[in-house]
């Protein structure tokens, strides 16, 4: 199935070079892949995975391993951000 991974701010360093301009990485993943699987597969540090959305809907930390992705899902992840 085809999903799109979007990584923002410092997490964009984990994208391949060709995806860094748009922060989007469309990819094929096996059926049954979960949000947690994607975080692990791309070696995203747990301390940097803060806000996680699938198609604009918040996925809390406790639900990430159980939330299976489906074809055409967009997984967006932001690190903690501080501002002033």
């Amino acid at each position: 199935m085809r999903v799109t991974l979007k990584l923002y701010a410092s997490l964009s360093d984990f994208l391949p070079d060709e995806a860094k301009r748009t922060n989007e990485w469309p990819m094929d993943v096996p059926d049954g892949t979960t949000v947690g699987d994607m975080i692990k597969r791309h070696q995203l540090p747990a301390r940097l995975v803060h806000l996680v959305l699938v198609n604009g809907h918040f996925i809390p930390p406790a639900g990430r391993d159980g939330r299976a992705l489906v074809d055409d899902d967009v997984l967006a992840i932001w690190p903690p951000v501080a501002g002033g």
Side-chain angles (χ1 to χ4, degrees):
M1 74 180 159
R2 189 83 163 164
V3 299
T4 299
L5 177 63
K6 293 183 173 186
L7 301 176
Y8 295 95
S10 60
L11 287 173
S12 66
D13 291 341
F14 291 86
L15 292 169
D17 287 339
E18 63 273 10
K20 287 181 181 177
R21 186 176 58 79
T22 62
N23 290 62
E24 293 188 13
W25 187 7
M27 65 184 72
D28 293 313
V29 298
D31 289 346
T33 298
T34 67
V35 170
D37 293 336
M38 292 288 284
I39 291 167
K40 291 173 194 142
R41 178 175 297 141
H42 298 288
Q43 300 177 355
L44 303 178
R47 65 182 175 74
L48 294 181
V49 175
H50 182 68
L51 178 61
V52 176
L53 304 176
V54 174
N55 303 326
H57 298 280
F58 176 66
I59 308 298
R64 295 173 187 168
D65 286 334
R67 173 53 165 89
L69 297 167
V70 297
D71 197 37
D72 293 325
D73 271 351
V74 176
L75 172 60
I77 303 174
W78 285 263
V81 179

